[in-house]
Amino acid sequence: MLILGTLILAFFLIRACSHQEIDDVTPGIPCEEEYLRKAEVLWVIPLFQNESISSNKTWCEYIRSLNKTLGLHGVYHTNREFQILRNEEYLQPGVQAFKECFNQTPTQFKAPQLALSKENKAWLEKKYTIQGEYNQQFHKVYHCSDTGRFPNKLLQYL
């Protein structure tokens, strides 16, 4: 019982000390500034509802001004988008929008809903650092529009 208690305490201490992230960052989803500023990593949806982030220059400048680590969070953020077999060609419009918006090429990738097939993971990890379930468990991951597994207000204490 002591070992279990120690493990649980260690888990919460790791989460308390680790960096914070926010998913679903895109102009089409409202995002509380508090969480944008608090997070160290912003997971960006480049073509949410087929609207390119690069078409909103003011938003791009604002996100760049936050000076955060930026990662690619799918392309369109559709349900189980990367459970279906995809290829580099599918990813290119999202990468291009990301480049045009932030003047940088993404180096990190997180699949929407963390749904990533083994086949897609194999080709993606040749170019990107992939984040998944382990990342979610050991970091506080907030969501724009507060749509995550746990409400953002509760995550502050977990």
Side-chain angles (χ1 to χ4, degrees), residues 48-63:
F48 184 68
Q49 296 180 338
N50 291 319
E51 184 69 34
S52 176
I53 57 175
S54 65
S55 66
N56 189 331
K57 299 299 182 198
T58 303
W59 182 87
C60 292
E61 289 173 19
Y62 169 69
I63 296 299

Side-chain angles (χ1 to χ4, degrees), residues 19-142:
H19 70 261
Q20 299 171 11
E21 303 181 2
I22 188 160
D23 283 0
D24 306 342
V25 178
T26 194
I29 298 176
C31 206
E32 293 181 47
E33 188 168 342
E34 169 189 358
Y35 298 112
L36 288 171
R37 294 202 179 278
K38 186 182 287 193
E40 294 175 38
V41 179
L42 307 180
W43 292 101
V44 177
I45 306 167
L47 297 169
F48 184 68
Q49 296 180 338
N50 291 319
E51 184 69 34
S52 176
I53 57 175
S54 65
S55 66
N56 189 331
K57 299 299 182 198
T58 303
W59 182 87
C60 292
E61 289 173 19
Y62 169 69
I63 296 299
R64 277 196 313 265
S65 77
L66 296 173
N67 199 28
K68 307 291 183 172
T69 299
L70 303 174
L72 195 60
H73 192 35
V75 176
Y76 301 96
H77 201 274
T78 56
N79 190 32
R80 305 182 69 73
E81 180 177 23
F82 282 85
Q83 280 293 101
I84 299 166
L85 187 59
R86 304 292 188 187
N87 58 28
E88 185 69 32
E89 185 178 317
Y90 177 84
L91 195 63
Q92 277 313 305
V95 170
Q96 187 61 36
F98 192 99
K99 284 181 186 179
E100 289 172 7
C101 184
F102 304 122
N103 299 321
Q104 63 178 284
T105 302
T107 60
Q108 297 188 57
F109 180 87
K110 185 194 294 189
Q113 298 88 32
L114 304 178
L116 182 61
S117 71
K118 289 179 185 176
E119 297 83 6
N120 287 331
K121 184 176 182 183
W123 67 265
L124 281 163
E125 64 189 358
K126 290 177 183 173
K127 285 183 85 171
Y128 303 95
T129 301
I130 308 295
Q131 300 297 344
E133 191 65 42
Y134 177 81
N135 182 68
Q136 297 289 104
Q137 292 171 358
F138 288 97
H139 297 96
K140 290 182 182 178
V141 181
Y142 300 99

